[in-house]
Amino acid sequence: MRQTAGTLNRTWLTILGILCLAAGTALILQASGTLPTLLNTAPAWQSVVTGDLHAFLAPQGVAAVILIIGVIIGVLGLLWIIAQVPRRNPAGAYRLHGDGSRGFTLCDPSVLAAAVEKQINTLPGVVTSAALLRGTAYAPDLTLKVTVNDRADVQDVIHRIQTTTLPELSSALEAPLQSSRLQIDISGRTQSTGTVVHSTGTVVY
Amino acid sequence: MSRHDQRSTPLRHRPSRAVPALIAGTLLLAAGAALVWLSVTRLVSGSWPTVLQGPSDWLAGLAWNDPAVRQIGIAAVVAGVILLMCAVIPGPYSALTIGDSGTGAGEWAQTVQEQETVMTRRAVAHLAKARCVQIDGVGSASATATTRRVHLNVTTFLHEPGDLRQRITDAVRARLEETGLSPVPQVTATVRSRD
């Protein structure tokens, strides 16, 4: 139900990968003498640092530029790390009013989500459930995680949710659901209890 | 940070590449912190830290055709290929799709424009294991599931397992079919007799 930074990660990994690949290829070609022949760069026998490095680093302006570069790189790295924390990204308050000239009607989506959870928890086989509403009042997105026991009739649970819970939520909001995403989970504890029927050894025809 | 504009994203998705992203982000943060420390030391004390003396001397004496330059280039190429592989290789889906049985579809289809029903791979493994341990002759079982395959490791008290393996795969496959997984993953089992 929580959202991760998959697209962000793929984009930045691709950018960094291309940069590393390009820089590495250029270094290898320069070291082997191919690049100087093709693009007339510095000869392979020449020193990497042609001038006086200490004199180059001496001005305070160089230290200031390095400080700015360091801050930018560090902040980007920190933001990237923070972006890895999965987020619920819930909807804000649903605005159920029209133009607002006759007053405002706001509804906290968590109230509706709690009602959905309460109804689903009464279904046979359901151990627990979690509902999250996103989107807007006129285009709501519902994400559900329903944990059932390992003997539950999963299709029956899905059918009951689809034929009772979703229409009732849609009816309450007076709008069709933009999307409904349902994740079925199985309780990790194996169901070993239930109605025990003792065998009498008598067969009745 | 409001990602996805408060919209839901598919529950069945590829891995988010969090581990390579965390490693790369940590390296970027460390590099940024090192640059900040070096430059702040220079601005405060008026001279660069002595730890920079060795690398700067090494760099001053380095020629382009030095083997070290080639090695750095190879290391960068390897790192680039690894980063690109992390970004490009899609990885397995996190969950399996559950199909709609079709009963009563017309009643609710008007209320939902887009519908997705999934079961996580871990849940499929739990379901398979739970069905397996109900079969007579099974002592204990563990299950692993991918999007295409469910494998069960079963221990039995029977000295001669006989057709136990077939009964297990048939029962688990039937349970996955009635659950509505689409497509139904291939079920395999390994049966070991407990000595």
Side-chain angles (χ1 to χ4, degrees):
Chain A
M1 288 179 53
R2 290 176 183 268
Q3 295 175 336
T4 53
T7 308
L8 178 85
N9 291 346
R10 281 196 303 277
T11 306
W12 278 107
L13 287 171
T14 305
I15 291 170
L16 288 177
I18 290 171
L19 286 176
C20 282
L21 197 61
T25 309
L27 273 180
I28 292 170
L29 291 175
Q30 175 68 22
S32 65
T34 311
L35 208 58
T37 312
L38 291 172
L39 298 174
N40 201 22
T41 55
W45 48 264
Q46 202 174 54
S47 180
V48 173
V49 181
T50 49
D52 185 1
L53 189 62
H54 296 288
F56 174 75
L57 291 174
Q60 281 210 336
V62 175
V65 170
I66 292 175
L67 176 64
I68 292 167
I69 293 170
V71 168
I72 291 171
I73 292 174
V75 168
L76 283 177
L78 189 61
L79 287 177
W80 199 8
I81 292 170
I82 292 170
Q84 302 312 309
V85 179
R87 285 176 170 76
R88 286 168 59 84
N89 198 16
Y94 280 170
R95 298 172 185 87
L96 300 173
H97 51 266
D99 58 0
S101 59
R102 294 182 182 177
F104 298 96
T105 309
L106 302 177
C107 177
D108 187 348
S110 64
V111 175
L112 294 168
V116 169
E117 288 171 8
K118 192 175 178 183
Q119 189 179 41
I120 291 175
N121 287 344
T122 61
L123 298 178
V126 173
V127 176
T128 183
S129 65
L132 181 64
L133 275 161
R134 298 188 178 102
T136 65
Y138 297 101
D141 272 4
L142 175 67
T143 306
L144 278 170
K145 180 183 175 186
V146 178
T147 306
V148 299
N149 67 48
D150 52 42
R151 291 191 183 181
D153 185 342
V154 175
Q155 279 295 331
D156 182 55
V157 171
I158 294 170
H159 177 67
R160 285 170 186 259
I161 290 171
Q162 288 175 345
T163 53
T164 57
T165 311
L166 301 188
E168 284 180 20
L169 177 64
S170 176
S171 171
L173 287 168
E174 295 180 345
L177 297 178
Q178 185 74 24
S179 72
S180 165
R181 303 188 191 281
L182 171 59
Q183 177 183 318
I184 300 289
D185 225 337
I186 304 293
S187 175
R189 297 181 65 181
T190 302
Q191 188 86 357
S192 56
T193 57
T195 306
V196 178
V197 179
H198 295 286
S199 170
T200 60
T202 307
V203 180
V204 180
Y205 292 99
Chain B
M1 191 181 289
S2 178
R3 287 175 294 189
H4 312 299
D5 301 328
Q6 294 182 340
R7 284 283 169 200
S8 61
T9 50
L11 294 171
R12 184 173 178 265
H13 55 78
R14 305 279 192 183
S16 65
R17 285 85 164 169
V19 173
L22 276 173
I23 293 170
T26 308
L27 290 176
L28 280 178
L29 182 61
L35 287 178
V36 168
W37 174 70
L38 287 172
S39 52
V40 166
T41 307
R42 165 70 181 85
L43 290 172
V44 171
S45 68
S47 61
W48 291 97
T50 51
V51 71
L52 208 61
Q53 190 65 41
S56 63
D57 289 344
W58 173 75
L59 200 61
L62 193 69
W64 284 114
N65 58 3
D66 198 294
V69 175
R70 198 186 300 259
Q71 287 162 7
I72 292 168
I74 291 169
V77 167
V78 170
V81 169
I82 290 172
L83 287 169
L84 279 175
M85 283 171 67
C86 289
V88 172
I89 294 174
Y93 278 111
S94 59
L96 289 81
T97 304
I98 296 180
D100 177 31
S101 61
T103 50
E107 298 168 20
W108 62 270
Q110 296 171 351
T111 62
V112 182
Q113 294 178 4
E114 187 188 346
Q115 173 79 21
E116 182 191 22
T117 309
V118 302
M119 184 179 275
T120 59
R121 289 184 292 162
R122 192 177 62 173
V124 172
H126 278 315
L127 193 68
K129 179 191 168 188
R131 180 65 188 94
C132 182
V133 295
Q134 292 168 11
I135 297 167
D136 185 44
V138 172
S140 62
S142 64
T144 54
T146 65
T147 50
R148 294 178 181 177
R149 189 165 167 261
V150 173
H151 183 72
L152 295 137
N153 281 308
V154 178
T155 308
T156 177
F157 294 107
L158 302 171
H159 293 294
E160 291 296 328
D163 64 342
L164 180 62
R165 186 169 154 275
Q166 188 63 41
R167 283 193 287 130
I168 289 168
T169 53
D170 287 347
V172 172
R173 188 179 297 113
R175 179 69 170 121
L176 298 182
E177 275 174 1
E178 76 180 33
T179 301
L181 292 176
S182 175
V184 179
Q186 183 190 1
V187 180
T188 56
T190 307
V191 179
R192 289 189 183 86
S193 294
R194 188 176 288 175
D195 296 327

